[in-house]
Amino acid sequence: MEFCTPDRWETRRYISECECDFTLRLTMGGLLRLVQEASTRHCTLLGIGPEHYQKTHTAFLLAKLCAQVYEDIPAGSEVLLVTRPSSPVRAVYHRYTTLALGDRPAAAIDARWVLVDTDTKRILRKAPEALGLPFANDTVPELPILIPKATGEEILVGEEAARYSRCDQNRHMNNTHYADLICDYLPPDRFLAGPIREFSISYHREVPMGHTLGIYSREEEPGRYFFLGKEEGQICFEAGVRF
């Protein structure tokens, strides 16, 4: 079942075990991949496909995101997925996506996208007419994308490369894989008690295929973490996690 208008797309999905962790609960990366699929599918149904981006030399890049999880989303469950985009606010396109289990809200994701010129790498404040963006919502719900700054020195916890399996068609690390990477540096015992309740991330610089990130982390208080990714001294992302 699908329902599609320029303002809204909704469908039902079953949660695959492949996107769940050892507790058979949907991972944060799995949640973000559902959201990315919804965004892409909605645009495709509205007639905006890869050929439109190639023709106009444009691409959408995720600038920042906040995901809130209200209850466990187990393997095999059926969720109602609803995504709503907004018209751009200055140069930012908001998209608000929700997952529901029956009549219960299970998660909400507020994603902020920017449209860029792939030749100049500049953010476009007006979309090319040939792209044909039909988004008409003036506003959609928003979540506070607040990433707490570390109050002390961050600790280098590891290095991660933008390997083949982590990269997308733009040849840089796909935004959903940052969540997987971050979760790999969290204590596994935290996930026994329950899922991440809030995940916020701000993307500063793309990480091209083959490049390596230094991962820095600090536990600010029990169950609340700050993460930072750097390449050659340049900040690539900042993230906050709350259990």
Side-chain angles (χ1 to χ4, degrees), residues 151-186:
T151 56
E153 184 178 356
E154 305 95 7
I155 299 170
L156 178 64
V157 293
E159 292 187 340
E160 296 288 338
R163 300 184 179 91
Y164 161 81
S165 63
R166 293 173 170 175
C167 294
D168 56 23
Q169 71 269 24
N170 296 314
R171 298 178 70 87
H172 62 248
M173 191 181 296
N174 182 270
N175 63 76
T176 68
H177 284 293
Y178 289 84
D180 296 324
L181 182 155
I182 288 167
C183 288
D184 284 344
Y185 287 97
L186 290 166

Side-chain angles (χ1 to χ4, degrees), residues 74-94:
S77 59
E78 183 185 52
V79 297
L80 174 65
L81 193 155
V82 179
T83 187
R84 289 178 280 170
S86 77
S87 302
V89 178
R90 293 184 289 275
V92 179
Y93 294 77
H94 295 233

Side-chain angles (χ1 to χ4, degrees), residues 1 46 51 53 65 73 77 84 89 101 109 120 135 142 152 154 165 172 176 195 211 214 229:
M1 184 276 291
L46 295 175
E51 66 279 4
Y53 297 114
L65 172 148
I73 304 174
S77 59
R84 289 178 280 170
V89 178
L101 289 164
I109 302 89
T120 64
F135 307 143
E142 297 181 15
E154 305 95 7
S165 63
H172 62 248
T176 68
H211 289 220

Side-chain angles (χ1 to χ4, degrees), residues 105-173:
I109 302 89
D110 178 359
R112 316 282 175 88
W113 297 82
V114 292
L115 186 67
V116 300
D117 184 310
T118 54
D119 294 330
T120 64
K121 306 300 182 183
R122 292 184 176 180
I123 295 173
L124 298 174
R125 294 190 173 273
K126 184 177 180 181
E129 289 188 12
L131 190 55
L133 294 180
F135 307 143
N137 284 326
D138 290 333
T139 59
V140 295
E142 297 181 15
L143 299 174
I145 305 180
L146 301 175
I147 299 172
K149 299 296 183 182
T151 56
E153 184 178 356
E154 305 95 7
I155 299 170
L156 178 64
V157 293
E159 292 187 340
E160 296 288 338
R163 300 184 179 91
Y164 161 81
S165 63
R166 293 173 170 175
C167 294
D168 56 23
Q169 71 269 24
N170 296 314
R171 298 178 70 87
H172 62 248
M173 191 181 296

Side-chain angles (χ1 to χ4, degrees), residues 27 41 65 90 116 132 139 151 194 205 224-225 231 235 237:
T27 65
R41 177 65 176 163
L65 172 148
R90 293 184 289 275
V116 300
T139 59
T151 56
R205 295 167 59 87
R224 190 168 69 90
Y225 297 84
E231 182 192 10
I235 296 176
F237 76 86

